[in-house]
Amino acid sequence: MYRWISLDNWTYSRTFKTPFDIRKWQKVNLVFEGVDTVAQILLNNVTLGRTDNMFTRYSFDISSVIQEVNCVEVRFLSAVSYAAEQSRCHKGHSIPPACPPPVQKGECHVNFIRKEQCSFSWDWGPSFPTQGIWKDVRIEAYDHYHLIYFSITPLFVKSAQQWCLEVESIFDVVSSKPIAGLVTVNIPKLQTQQSFSVKLQPGEGSIVLHVNINKSAAVEAWWPNGHGKQTGYNMTTTFMMEAGCQIEKFSKVYFRTVELIQEPIPGSPGLSFYFRINGRPIFIKGSNWIPADSFQDRVTSDTLRLLLKSAADANMNALRVWGGGVYEQDEFYDICDEIGIMIWQDFMFACALYPTNQSFLESVRAEVTHQVRRLKSHPSIILWSGNNENEAAIASNWFSIPYPDIGVYIKDYVTLYVKNIREIVLCEDKSRPFVTSSPTNGVESVKEGWLSRNPYDTHYGDTHFYDYSHDCWNWTMYPKTRFASEYGFQSWPSFSTIEKVSSPEDWSYTSNFSLHRQHHEGGNIQMLQEIGRHFKLPQCPDPVKQFKDMIYLTQVMQAQCIKTETEFYRFSQSEIINGEGHTMGALYWQLNDIWQAPSWASLEYGGKWKLLHYFAQNFFAPLLPVAYEDKGMLHIYGVSDLHEDHKVTLRVTVHAWSSLEPVCTLAKEGVTVKAQSAVPIYKEPICDLLGRCRNCTRESCVITFCLVGEDGLQSPRNHYFLSSLKDAVGLQKTQLSASVSQQDGIYIFVLQTTAIAPFVTLDVGSIKGRFSDNGFLMTEKKKTVVFYPWEPTSVEELKSSLILTSLLDVV
C-alpha cells in the first residue's frame, strides 16, 4: 500500500539563518554525512552538486553562495526509477539479476544503485526503498586548514618488541602556501608523549606520524569477549600550526594485532583459515548482522547496545556485518570495541553482479576510501571482505550466463573487487587482512585468478551452507569446513512480536499475512517438514492455539538444528578426518531482524530472544561437553575456549522419560580438557550404555551431561536425544508452575514440574528483558531462572503475563 512513496520524487527543504559572519572565513562548506541516495543539492537556487551514493560523505564549497538567510533544498529522485534508468542505459552486456524472486515482493535493478541493497527487498525483509537525509548535515567554516579524517593504527614491531602507533591526519588546506607547525601526541597512562614538526601542503594535505610507545609502560592488549579485557587508553593529539587555530583531538586507542592464517595442515590437502589475535588463535563464535531497521533513523544507540549486548551475553565474540546492508554507524563499532565483539566487515555488494563503467567505479572508490578512513581505527574490525557470495554467484553460475560470455563477467569482477576495492584497502589500511568475497577459498581463489572453481571447498577459506531437505539432527550432513561463516534455519518470531502488526484473522500458519511476511520461497513448508521429522505437528481445533503451537515448534526446531550444527563445528576444531576439519569459526545466519516476520534470526525485531539465542548462550559456552553418535557409538568431546588446561569431572545422567529420578549416573573423574581445543573424553556403544541403565531403550530414555571442575568451573548441562521426540515413550503431560519474586533489580522465577518436561519455555509477552535460561530440558522437580528486565516492570506484571509451555502442551 505504501509502494507509491518509493516511486515518487521527494524534495526536502528549509530556510536557515547563518549564525556567524560569513565574510570572516576563508572557506565555508556544506557537509552531508549521508544522503540516501540520488539527489540534487541546491543552496539559494544554486546547484551545488549531485549525490548518487548512500555510503559516501559529500562536502560542497558554499563560500560564494551562502548569505545571511538561506534556503537549502535536496531534490531526490526515486531510487527505483533511477536504478531502472541506469540499467536501461547500460551499454553492452546485461548485469544480472534484473529482479528479485516474486516471493520477495521487491523492486528491480538494485545492483545499479549504491544504496542499501536489501532496501529493495530480501528473503527476510521488506521492500522500503527510502529517500532522505539519513545522517548528519552541517556547515563548517574555517581559515587556513581543517581536519577531515583522523585515524590511529596500532602496530607491534617484533624486532624492537615494542608497540608503535601510526597516526594519520588528512586536512583540507585552504592556504596557497604550505603551513608549518607542531603536533604533540600524549598518552598519559603509557607515559608516552611525542612532538613532531610537520608541514601541510595546499589542497588535501596529509601527515602520518609514527609514535613509539614507551617501552617501560605495560601495554594491556585489547582482547575479544571471553579472552581478556578490552583495555583502551585516552590519547590527546594537539595540532599547533603557525596559521589558524589550535586543534585538539581526543581519542581512545586500543592495542591488538590480527592475522588471518592460511597455511598447510599436516594430513590434509588445502590450507587453514583462522584468525590469530595478539598471537593467539581464536575460535570465532557468533552470527551475521543485518540492518536493525528498514528506516535507519529509528536505529538508536539503545537499539544497537541492546542487540550487541545480547550477542556478548550469548558468549559470542564476533559478528559479520553482511554486505547487503549498510556500513554501520560509528556507535555500533564503538560498542563492539567496548564489549569485545570482533567484526568481519563486508563491503556493500551482495548476491549480484555489478557494473564497472567509469562513473560507477569512481563512486565506489570514493565510498571505499571514505569508509576505510572512517572505520580503520576500530580494534573490533578484524577483516575487510569485498562482497557477499558474488564469487560463488559466478563460479556456480547462479544467473545462467552462457559459457562463452562468462569471461566478461570475470573481468568485471576482478576490476571491481581486486583492481579497485582491494587496491584502495591495501593502500589505506595495512593493519588487517582482506578477502575478496565470502565464501571464498582465500589464497587459493587468488591463485585461480580470484575466482575459484568451487568457493564452497571445505579445504580452503570459509563456506556458507544451507540445506532444508535433510534431517538437521544428523551431523553428517554438515560440511567439515575450515570456517563456517553462514548457516541457518528459519523460525517464526513470538506471538507477542507478531501481534503488534497483525489482526486476529491473520493468526494462522496459512493466512495471507503468514504468506505475505514469508519472503523465502517455500519457507513455511520447509519449517513444517523439519518439525515433522522429530515432533508431532499441532492439531488443535482452536486456530489461534494451533498458530501459537506452530510458532513454538518452529523456534524449538530452529534452536535444536543450529545447536547440532554449531556443536559439530566446535568439536571439529582440533581434528582432521578424511582430510577435513580444523574448523575455526561458526557464524550462524542471522543475529537480528529488520521487521516482524519468519526469518533465520535469533533476536526478534525489538530485541526479544528467540529460543535459538538462549541455546546459543549454551552452545557457545567457553567450556562445553558435546555428544554425537557415529555407527552406534556415543562420543563425548570436551570443547574449551579457556586459555589453560583443566582437570574436570564428566557427569553423565540417563533419565527415563517417565520419571524425574535418574535411571543411572556415571562420573568420569580426572578428565583433561585441553586449552582452546576439542578433545574426545568419553565413548561407549549406545547399546551397552542402555543395557547398563535398567533396560532403557532409545525411545524411553534421554542422556544429559556436564563438566564440573574446581573453583566453581562448570559447563552448561547438555542433552542428547536418542530418538525423535515424536517417538518418545513414557513422556507425561506435566503440571508446570512458577513463583515470581523480586531481588534488587532482577526477578527470580522458581519453576516446579511433576514430570520430565522437554523444551520448557517462559514467555512474558512484550515485557522487555531476557531470562537466564530458556527452552531447557527439565529433569528436576525445581529449577530457578532469573529474569533481567530491560525496562521497569513488577512481580504482578510478570505473573500476569507469564506463559509456561513445554513440548506436551502442543496438541
Side-chain angles (χ1 to χ4, degrees):
M1 282 165 62
Y2 293 108
R3 183 175 178 237
W4 64 272
I5 295 172
S6 67
L7 302 178
D8 240 333
N9 302 329
W10 296 84
T11 296
Y12 292 68
S13 64
R14 68 169 290 172
T15 53
F16 66 93
K17 280 189 179 147
T18 308
F20 55 83
D21 185 348
I22 310 144
R23 293 161 305 189
K24 277 189 179 166
W25 301 93
Q26 283 178 295
K27 190 161 184 189
V28 185
N29 287 338
L30 175 61
V31 182
F32 289 83
E33 284 293 334
V35 181
D36 173 17
T37 292
V38 183
Q40 180 184 2
I41 316 274
L42 298 96
L43 184 65
N44 303 328
N45 282 328
V46 176
T47 298
L48 302 176
R50 293 171 192 277
T51 69
D52 62 5
N53 189 323
M54 178 180 177
F55 308 120
T56 297
R57 175 197 285 171
Y58 288 93
S59 183
F60 303 104
D61 184 345
I62 56 169
S63 312
S64 57
V65 187
I66 193 166
Q67 297 162 7
E68 278 178 35
V69 179
N70 304 274
C71 172
V72 60
E73 275 186 289
V74 183
R75 294 182 189 164
F76 281 95
L77 210 60
S78 156
V80 176
S81 314
Y82 172 85
E85 180 64 10
Q86 291 300 108
S87 164
R88 207 175 52 76
C89 297
H90 186 262
K91 301 279 183 284
H93 53 293
S94 65
I95 309 287
C99 300
V103 69
Q104 287 178 206
K105 308 169 219 8
E107 302 293 353
C108 301
H109 306 297
V110 72
N111 46 347
F112 276 91
I113 181 168
R114 291 312 298 141
K115 175 177 172 59
E116 177 185 22
Q117 299 289 279
C118 66
S119 67
F120 278 37
S121 84
W122 215 261
D123 57 7
W124 36 252
S127 172
F128 290 135
T130 44
Q131 6 177 340
I133 300 163
W134 76 293
K135 291 197 171 198
D136 287 349
V137 192
R138 64 178 182 272
I139 285 174
E140 297 172 340
Y142 49 92
D143 291 335
H144 308 298
Y145 70 106
H146 177 65
L147 183 61
I148 314 173
Y149 292 103
F150 180 82
S151 63
I152 311 163
T153 307
L155 304 160
F156 187 71
V157 185
K158 280 195 177 141
S159 55
Q161 285 296 296
Q162 182 179 23
W163 283 100
C164 159
L165 295 176
E166 190 174 279
V167 180
E168 188 175 3
S169 316
I170 298 174
F171 294 87
D172 177 26
V173 182
V174 188
S175 153
S176 55
K177 293 200 279 296
I179 301 173
L182 196 68
V183 182
T184 304
V185 176
N186 187 14
I187 310 169
K189 269 259 176 84
L190 297 176
Q191 301 100 54
T192 297
Q193 181 166 334
Q194 255 174 280
S195 294
F196 304 84
S197 293
V198 297
K199 200 170 251 178
L200 290 177
Q201 299 303 324
E204 190 176 272
S206 75
I207 42 179
V208 179
L209 308 174
H210 288 275
V211 179
N212 292 316
I213 300 301
N214 188 336
K215 264 190 161 171
S216 59
V219 175
E220 276 190 33
W222 180 93
W223 286 98
N225 181 34
H227 289 277
K229 290 199 281 200
Q230 291 78 44
T231 308
Y233 296 91
N234 292 328
M235 169 171 139
T236 310
T237 310
T238 313
F239 299 88
M240 301 267 296
M241 310 307 280
E242 60 188 18
C245 59
Q246 170 180 328
I247 296 179
E248 226 174 0
K249 187 83 188 159
F250 299 100
S251 340
K252 203 56 148 189
V253 56
Y254 299 89
F255 295 87
R256 71 110 188 82
T257 60
V258 55
E259 302 157 278
L260 173 57
I261 307 299
Q262 302 181 71
E263 56 191 26
I265 300 172
S268 172
L271 300 167
S272 65
F273 191 90
Y274 69 90
F275 290 92
R276 234 175 10 212
I277 306 292
N278 303 325
R280 186 182 281 277
I282 302 281
F283 187 98
I284 303 284
K285 304 183 293 190
S287 187
N288 286 262
W289 173 273
I290 65 161
D293 205 294
S294 292
F295 306 97
Q296 277 292 320
D297 51 315
R298 295 208 284 213
V299 183
T300 63
S301 56
D302 287 352
T303 313
L304 294 173
R305 193 166 284 278
L306 189 65
L307 293 168
L308 292 168
K309 179 85 172 66
S310 291
D313 286 346
N315 290 308
M316 295 185 187
N317 60 26
L319 292 171
R320 171 170 170 251
V321 175
W322 166 80
V326 298
Y327 304 94
E328 276 302 330
Q329 44 189 291
D330 295 344
E331 197 120 16
F332 173 93
Y333 302 97
D334 288 339
I335 297 167
C336 291
D337 294 346
E338 184 193 312
I339 65 177
I341 300 290
M342 295 178 282
I343 297 296
W344 170 314
Q345 178 67 52
D346 279 3
F347 286 96
M348 294 301 129
F349 302 86
C351 302
L353 305 183
Y354 288 85
T356 56
N357 50 306
Q358 206 46 44
S359 60
F360 189 86
L361 288 178
E362 275 168 23
S363 182
V364 168
R365 287 181 73 89
E367 160 191 335
V368 172
T369 304
H370 170 61
Q371 295 298 343
V372 174
R373 286 177 180 177
R374 177 175 79 94
L375 298 174
K376 68 178 178 181
S377 302
H378 290 282
S380 49
I381 299 175
I382 60 165
L383 177 78
W384 301 111
S385 173
N387 64 68
N388 174 71
E389 297 184 347
N390 298 349
E391 180 181 340
I394 296 178
S396 312
N397 202 6
W398 292 0
F399 307 121
S400 311
I401 294 162
Y403 186 72
D405 303 341
I406 213 105
V408 183
Y409 294 95
I410 293 174
K411 188 168 176 281
D412 278 358
Y413 180 91
V414 173
T415 299
L416 180 57
Y417 303 110
V418 183
K419 292 183 177 161
N420 283 277
I421 296 176
R422 178 175 177 271
E423 186 182 281
I424 291 169
V425 174
L426 296 186
C427 170
E428 291 286 338
D429 179 17
K430 296 172 182 63
S431 73
R432 44 173 76 75
F434 173 90
V435 292
T436 40
S437 186
S438 176
T440 179
N441 289 346
V443 292
E444 177 59 24
S445 286
V446 178
K447 217 160 99 186
E448 293 179 37
W450 303 100
L451 267 143
S452 56
R453 281 183 306 282
N454 174 22
Y456 298 96
D457 190 331
T458 52
H459 303 93
Y460 298 96
D462 63 325
T463 55
H464 296 187
F465 180 79
Y466 295 95
D467 182 334
Y468 311 110
S469 56
H470 293 95
D471 175 9
C472 74
W473 288 20
N474 173 11
W475 62 272
T476 63
M477 71 177 262
Y478 300 120
K480 212 170 177 78
T481 172
R482 304 291 191 225
F483 196 107
S485 50
E486 269 193 37
Y487 58 97
F489 296 90
Q490 281 198 323
S491 72
W492 273 80
S494 351
F495 184 71
S496 62
T497 296
I498 292 164
E499 199 176 12
K500 294 183 182 78
V501 292
S502 58
S503 321
E505 67 269 19
D506 300 326
W507 299 339
S508 100
Y509 199 71
T510 51
S511 68
N512 286 341
F513 168 85
S514 293
L515 283 171
H516 178 78
R517 290 249 163 176
Q518 173 58 273
H519 280 198
H520 165 60
E521 190 65 62
N524 290 349
I525 290 159
Q526 285 165 358
M527 282 186 270
L528 283 181
Q529 288 168 339
E530 285 287 355
I531 292 164
R533 285 197 176 89
H534 297 291
F535 303 100
K536 292 174 180 145
L537 290 169
Q539 304 294 330
C540 185
D542 172 3
V544 178
K545 163 85 168 97
Q546 190 182 17
F547 184 50
K548 288 177 177 176
D549 286 349
M550 211 58 230
I551 290 169
Y552 166 78
L553 283 177
T554 66
Q555 290 207 16
V556 165
M557 178 275 302
Q558 178 197 35
Q560 189 65 27
C561 290
I562 294 186
K563 169 189 189 291
T564 308
E565 188 165 357
T566 308
E567 288 181 348
F568 167 71
Y569 295 138
R570 284 194 79 188
F571 81 65
S572 298
Q573 68 183 273
S574 305
E575 64 186 17
I576 294 289
I577 290 175
N578 301 328
E580 294 181 317
H582 276 217
T583 307
M584 282 298 283
L587 300 171
Y588 65 76
W589 184 269
Q590 68 206 61
L591 180 75
N592 55 319
D593 256 335
I594 199 166
W595 70 333
Q596 308 86 340
S599 82
W600 293 258
S602 64
L603 296 174
E604 300 178 5
Y605 182 80
K608 185 172 180 174
W609 289 28
K610 285 185 182 174
L611 290 189
L612 168 57
H613 209 80
Y614 287 104
F615 274 47
Q617 198 177 12
N618 289 335
F619 63 60
F620 282 146
L623 180 67
L624 184 71
V626 172
Y628 72 96
E629 197 182 316
D630 194 18
K631 302 184 182 73
M633 183 76 77
L634 178 74
H635 296 262
I636 298 180
Y637 276 55
V639 180
S640 171
D641 286 328
L642 306 170
H643 290 191
E644 284 159 6
D645 294 0
H646 283 276
K647 279 257 189 294
V648 295
T649 299
L650 168 67
R651 293 196 177 144
V652 181
T653 305
V654 179
H655 274 93
W657 286 120
S658 57
S659 167
L660 285 162
E661 293 303 315
V663 180
C664 63
T665 57
L666 169 136
K668 184 180 173 186
E669 292 175 5
V671 172
T672 300
V673 176
K674 288 176 88 163
Q676 294 190 272
S677 53
V679 291
I681 52 175
Y682 179 79
K683 69 175 192 179
E684 183 177 8
I686 285 179
C687 54
D688 294 3
L689 179 68
L690 295 176
R692 278 195 297 115
C693 296
R694 273 184 281 166
N695 295 326
C696 260
T697 65
R698 280 180 170 274
E699 290 74 28
S700 69
C701 291
V702 62
I703 302 171
T704 63
F705 44 95
C706 69
L707 299 171
V708 183
E710 287 166 2
D711 304 324
L713 181 68
Q714 193 164 351
S715 76
R717 198 172 60 143
N718 208 340
H719 59 257
Y720 184 72
F721 298 129
L722 295 161
S723 75
S724 289
L725 271 73
K726 65 180 180 187
D727 303 324
V729 173
L731 265 176
Q732 294 156 8
K733 193 155 170 37
T734 173
Q735 290 302 308
L736 281 171
S737 62
S739 66
V740 188
S741 60
Q742 187 174 359
Q743 193 182 322
D744 300 325
I746 59 173
Y747 294 85
I748 312 293
F749 287 68
V750 179
L751 267 65
Q752 300 207 23
T753 181
T754 53
I756 285 193
F759 304 111
V760 174
T761 301
L762 301 92
D763 190 337
V764 287
S766 50
I767 297 173
K768 285 186 170 357
R770 71 164 181 96
F771 291 95
S772 55
D773 194 4
N774 218 340
F776 43 82
L777 173 65
M778 199 162 167
T779 55
E780 283 156 342
K781 282 188 186 124
K782 249 189 186 173
K783 182 176 168 81
T784 301
V785 176
V786 178
F787 180 73
Y788 301 100
W790 296 334
E791 61 183 15
T793 181
S794 65
V795 168
E796 289 65 43
E797 203 178 15
L798 287 165
K799 268 186 180 160
S800 64
S801 303
L802 178 66
I803 297 168
L804 288 171
T805 311
S806 79
L807 190 61
L808 283 143
D809 294 317
V810 173
V811 289

